[in-house]
Amino acid sequence: MKHLSIILVSLLIAASSSAQSLSALPWMRTSRGAADMAMAGSAFMSDNNMAWAAYGNAAMIPFSSENMSVEAGYLLYNPAKTNYVNAGFAYNIKSRFGVTAGLSYGFDPSFDMYNENGKITGSFAPEKLMVGAGASWRFVDFMSAGVNLRYAMQSLMKGQSSSVFAADIVLMGRFGDFSVSAGAMNLGTPLKASDGKKYSIASSAKLSAMYDTVFAAQHGLQINLDADYYFSNSFSAAAGAQYGWNDMLFVRAGYRYSAKTCIIPSFASVGIGAKFKGIHLDFAYLMANDALKNTINVGLGYSF
């Protein structure tokens, strides 16, 4: 029975690496923020994604118009019914330094456990946990650098778990309404399965661009472009846009194209948001892909 459990855990780890990719723990690379997800994960440098900087771009914090941002969110991945409860925090220190932290806890639907005689002995719900922290420094007026460190763990069967450490390194520049960034994402230790085999995590080189402007006093337009080259020899690119009225109401949409071997499949997304006296509520909805359609993400936060 012990050998059977080891085989099952190894198969589950390989499956969790996605049928599309050989990379382990692909969920480490998915968006946590609802505003970002509504733009297909392209809002790598947007103020709307500041609270979630620990999951991506700490370098954006010193450029933010906000001093502090904190947000809690709920993400339901359909049709797999995987639930995530997320929390993120970022603090901008005099537009020169930034600090960030985040936590993400995920759980899948439970399944029955059986003994050698085929009788049900209980149930188990696979779990995922990711915690991280980061810091950034705006070393000249137009450029900053950020680093994130993360720990991720998944438990696919009772008594069987695996974990990894990872890091992001990002350089970001802002030139008027335009921003650009380049980074190495999710660099880390391989995941070691119970059978001794090792699986690389989803690391990539990332390039991002953003145009963010306000016109006619009350109307805001933000356009985001984002591309990843995964070291597993795969590629993903996204474009997203946001229209804001009076910095209070927001409409968002995006599309991500991914190569067939990419850990994140192609999908389209839409979303809305509202902000009043620092309190903001965001909603995202995914579609156009059988593996992700009807996925929802809701976030509630506060910033000043």
Side-chain angles (χ1 to χ4, degrees):
M1 190 67 180
K2 179 180 179 181
H3 295 297
L4 178 59
S5 297
I6 291 174
I7 293 171
L8 287 174
V9 169
S10 298
L11 289 173
L12 285 170
I13 289 174
S16 72
S17 302
S18 165
Q20 296 179 308
S21 172
L22 297 178
S23 297
L25 308 187
W27 50 269
M28 292 179 68
R29 299 302 308 273
T30 56
S31 299
R32 262 52 188 182
D36 181 39
M37 184 170 280
M39 291 183 274
S42 65
F44 193 63
M45 295 176 285
S46 172
D47 280 3
N48 294 307
N49 205 40
M50 178 178 170
W52 307 104
Y55 301 115
N57 184 15
M60 62 81 58
I61 300 172
F63 286 111
S64 176
S65 60
E66 309 284 0
N67 294 318
M68 185 274 291
S69 183
V70 60
E71 188 167 343
Y74 171 71
L75 170 61
L76 174 62
Y77 266 109
N78 279 315
K81 302 296 184 184
T82 300
N83 296 266
Y84 287 93
V85 179
N86 305 307
F89 166 83
Y91 192 76
N92 183 354
I93 305 171
K94 298 181 178 180
S95 296
R96 186 60 59 181
F97 302 98
V99 293
T100 181
L103 181 147
S104 178
Y105 172 70
F107 53 97
D108 294 324
S110 61
F111 60 85
D112 292 331
M113 301 178 63
Y114 297 83
N115 62 17
E116 292 86 345
N117 298 318
K119 293 184 177 181
I120 297 176
T121 59
S123 62
F124 179 75
E127 298 176 306
K128 305 175 179 71
L129 175 68
M130 183 165 60
V131 294
S136 55
W137 174 35
R138 188 174 174 181
F139 52 91
V140 293
D141 286 344
F142 62 89
M143 185 165 287
S144 66
V147 175
N148 286 327
L149 300 176
R150 280 191 300 278
Y151 166 81
M153 180 276 296
Q154 69 175 10
S155 178
L156 297 174
M157 291 189 68
K158 190 172 184 179
Q160 302 285 348
S161 63
S162 301
S163 60
V164 299
F165 291 92
D168 307 318
I169 303 172
V170 178
L171 285 174
M172 176 176 166
R174 178 160 292 178
F175 312 92
D177 292 336
F178 293 91
S179 299
V180 293
S181 68
M185 310 302 296
N186 212 45
L187 304 174
T189 58
L191 182 144
K192 186 176 181 180
S194 301
D195 61 358
K197 290 184 179 180
K198 294 182 178 180
Y199 299 87
S200 298
I201 59 176
S203 305
S204 72
K206 178 184 282 289
L207 290 174
S208 300
M210 179 179 72
Y211 175 70
D212 192 8
T213 191
V214 176
F215 58 95
Q218 293 182 325
H219 305 278
L221 176 65
Q222 184 181 110
I223 299 173
N224 295 284
L225 301 174
D226 182 78
D228 280 276
Y229 173 74
Y230 290 89
F231 301 148
S232 57
N233 197 28
S234 190
F235 176 81
S236 179
Q242 170 186 275
Y243 166 76
W245 178 79
N246 209 29
D247 198 34
M248 292 178 61
L249 300 175
F250 304 90
V251 178
R252 306 175 178 115
Y255 182 79
R256 177 168 293 275
Y257 169 80
S258 298
K260 291 183 178 180
T261 56
C262 187
I263 61 166
I264 302 174
S266 301
F267 67 90
S269 60
V270 294
I272 56 175
K275 184 177 180 181
F276 183 70
K277 292 187 176 181
I279 298 173
H280 50 93
L281 177 65
D282 298 301
F283 174 81
Y285 178 79
L286 271 57
M287 53 192 174
N289 183 285
D290 289 340
L292 295 175
K293 67 180 181 181
N294 300 324
T295 290
I296 61 170
N297 192 349
V298 181
L300 176 64
Y302 175 74
S303 60
F304 66 87

